[in-house]
């Protein structure tokens, strides 16, 4: 699995490292090089405290800011920073410039309200340190007040960016989860569609062929002693049907067009179906093509062929008919297939246990076609499929 992309903090952390380093060096330099208003030992204490801030940041700050520590460690980190900056300011008041790195770190570590309280208190303490060292004065009081306001505004901006970053990270995680779920559902839907397609293919080809072979075998058994010539003819038909089934199986495995269409036109494939039904039964089968058919997509030809196969198989198994008509015609911008029989008929609205009719409707719907069935008891059946030309 690919690692997660770096966060906004990880991508821009080097900028903050540069700001931190420049501010630290500038503050230490200013503390050491200003006019000696305090003893060198006090200034060294201040520098040591500032250096402690830098060490704490380098050892723990990055982990804390990237969210790898718990709340207790965050509070400990912020508390140590504030304690060290207070020590630095009371040792040398000018060390208050270190607040420019400490206050943002506190806002990036804690929630806004506690960070605002702690940083404001620390700035007030910087004022106290300045008064202790240099005495009270209007400028000395005014500057910390301005710094407090600036700190609050800056802190609100920083925490707002952090909250927005977390919100975006959560949104990205949800989007990735949704994309994964959509991909899973798409795979499942594709698998289900392919299973349904294979079920229709097997039902319309191999299953129908096996039914024909079984029917012919039963006829052969009954004719072997009484009518050897008929038995021999039916044996040849069974062998031919088995070979055709084998061809269909190989074609299905190769994911190519039906073998009937691979070796000829749609009209020829439909005529072979009608002739085969006449040979295998006592039905009178008529086949008509009103006009030359337009060039059709392979998917459309497959739907027409499978519908004819299913309709003729149902006639052979259920209709008890004496005559069958297979007609293909062009009507407006559509090709219409009609399979009519004069058999017993059935109720098209009754629940069906088989897969045939539902498979025909599903196939027709996939190419924008329309299947209609008109039938009634003792009235015969019309199966009509209309597909775009």
């Amino acid at each position: 699995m690919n690692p997660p992309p770096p966060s906004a903090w990880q991508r821009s952390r080097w900028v903050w490292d540069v700001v931190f380093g420049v501010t630290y060096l500038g503050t230490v330099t200013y503390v050491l090089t200003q006019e000696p208003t305090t003893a060198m030992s006090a200034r060294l204490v201040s520098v040591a405290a500032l250096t402690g801030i830098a060490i704490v940041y380098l050892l723990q700050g990055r982990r804390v800011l990237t969210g790898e520590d718990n709340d207790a460690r965050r509070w400990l980190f912020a508390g140590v920073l504030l304690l060290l900056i207070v020590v630095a300011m009371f040792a040398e008041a000018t060390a208050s410039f270190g607040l420019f790195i400490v206050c943002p770190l506190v806002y990036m570590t804690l929630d806004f309200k506690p960070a605002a309280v702690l940083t404001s208190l620390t700035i007030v303490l910087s004022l106290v340190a300045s008064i202790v060292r240099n005495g009270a004065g209007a400028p000395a009081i005014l500057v910390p007040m301005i710094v407090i306001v600036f700190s609050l505004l800056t802190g609100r901006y920083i925490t707002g960016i952090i909250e927005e970053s977390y919100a975006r990270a959560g949104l990205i995680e949800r989007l990735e989860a949704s994309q994964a779920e959509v991909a899973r559902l798409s795979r499942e839907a594709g698998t289900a569609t392919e299973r349904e397609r294979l079920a229709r293919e097997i039902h319309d080809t191999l299953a129908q062929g096996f039914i024909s072979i079984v029917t012919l075998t039963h006829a052969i058994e009954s004719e072997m002693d009484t009518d050897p010539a008929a038995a021999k003819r039916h044996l040849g038909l069974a062998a031919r049907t088995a070979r055709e089934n084998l061809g269909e199986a190989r074609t299905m495995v190769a994911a190519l067009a039906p073998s009937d269409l691979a070796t000829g036109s749609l009209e020829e494939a439909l005529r072979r179906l009608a002739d085969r039904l006449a040979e295998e039964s006592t039905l009178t089968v008529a086949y008509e093509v009103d006009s030359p058919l337009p060039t059709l997509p392979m998917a459309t030809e497959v739907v027409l062929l499978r519908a004819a196969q299913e309709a003729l198989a149902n006639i052979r198994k259920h209709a008890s008919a004496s005559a069958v008509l297979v007609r293909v015609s062009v009507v407006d911008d559509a090709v219409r297939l009609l399979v009519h029989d004069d058999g017993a008929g059935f109720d098209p609205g009754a629940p069906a246990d088989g897969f045939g009719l539902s498979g025909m409707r599903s196939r027709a719907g996939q190419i924008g076609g329309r299947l209609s069935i008109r039938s009634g008891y003792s009235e015969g059946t019309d199966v009509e499929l209309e597909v775009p030309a």
Side-chain angles (χ1 to χ4, degrees), residues 105-388:
L105 283 174
V106 174
Y107 279 112
M108 286 187 282
T109 304
L110 305 178
D111 293 334
F112 175 74
K113 290 183 178 179
V117 172
L118 291 175
T119 54
S120 298
L121 179 61
T122 304
I123 294 171
V124 171
L125 290 176
S126 72
L127 172 62
V128 173
S130 178
I131 293 174
V132 169
R133 289 295 183 184
N134 305 318
I141 297 175
L142 181 60
V143 171
M145 296 300 103
I146 296 175
V147 174
I148 289 176
V149 174
F150 177 78
S151 172
L152 293 174
L153 294 176
T154 304
R156 179 68 269 183
Y157 176 74
I158 292 173
T159 54
I161 291 177
I162 294 174
E163 291 170 359
E164 183 178 356
S165 176
Y166 282 129
R168 288 181 177 178
L171 178 60
I172 291 173
E173 289 181 1
R174 291 192 295 272
L175 287 175
E176 290 176 346
S178 298
Q179 289 176 343
E181 180 67 10
V182 168
R184 183 184 67 81
L185 293 175
S186 297
R187 288 193 299 270
E188 292 180 356
T191 301
T193 301
E194 184 63 14
R195 286 175 178 172
E196 182 181 354
R197 185 189 70 81
L198 288 175
R200 287 197 302 266
E201 291 289 338
I202 292 172
H203 177 273
D204 292 343
T205 56
L206 302 182
Q208 303 297 350
F210 289 137
I211 291 173
S212 295
I213 293 172
V214 171
T215 302
L216 291 170
T217 302
H218 289 164
I220 293 169
E221 289 177 349
S222 63
E223 295 167 346
M224 288 182 63
D225 297 329
T226 60
D227 192 351
K232 184 176 181 180
R233 181 171 61 86
H234 286 156
L235 182 62
L237 289 174
R240 189 181 73 182
T241 303
R243 286 192 295 271
E244 291 173 352
N245 251 26
L246 179 60
E248 288 286 357
R250 288 172 174 170
T251 299
M252 192 180 302
V253 171
L256 299 174
S259 57
D260 283 337
L261 295 178
T263 57
S265 65
L266 174 64
E267 296 95 318
E268 294 171 346
L270 293 174
R271 184 179 296 279
R272 284 196 296 271
L273 288 178
D275 293 342
R276 187 184 308 159
L277 178 62
E279 292 176 356
E280 296 176 358
S281 66
T282 59
L283 294 172
T284 301
V285 183
Y287 175 71
E288 299 177 1
V289 178
D290 290 349
S291 60
L293 299 181
T295 302
L296 298 173
M298 179 59 68
T300 301
E301 292 188 348
V302 170
V303 171
L304 288 167
L305 178 63
R306 296 310 187 207
Q309 285 177 321
E310 177 63 24
L312 294 177
N314 287 338
I315 291 172
R316 179 167 45 197
K317 289 186 292 183
H318 307 298
S320 300
S322 59
V324 177
L325 171 63
V326 179
R327 175 182 293 167
V328 185
S329 57
V330 179
V331 181
D332 297 329
D333 294 328
V335 173
R336 181 178 298 168
L337 167 69
L338 172 65
V339 180
H340 167 78
D341 71 81
D342 61 353
F346 69 102
D347 180 8
D353 296 331
F355 186 78
L357 294 180
S358 62
M360 292 168 68
R361 287 195 175 90
S362 178
R363 285 181 182 274
Q366 289 177 356
I367 62 169
R370 180 178 59 86
L371 177 73
S372 62
I373 300 174
R374 297 182 296 275
S375 183
Y377 292 110
S378 301
E379 297 179 2
T381 301
D382 286 343
V383 176
E384 187 175 85
L385 173 62
E386 190 172 292
V387 298

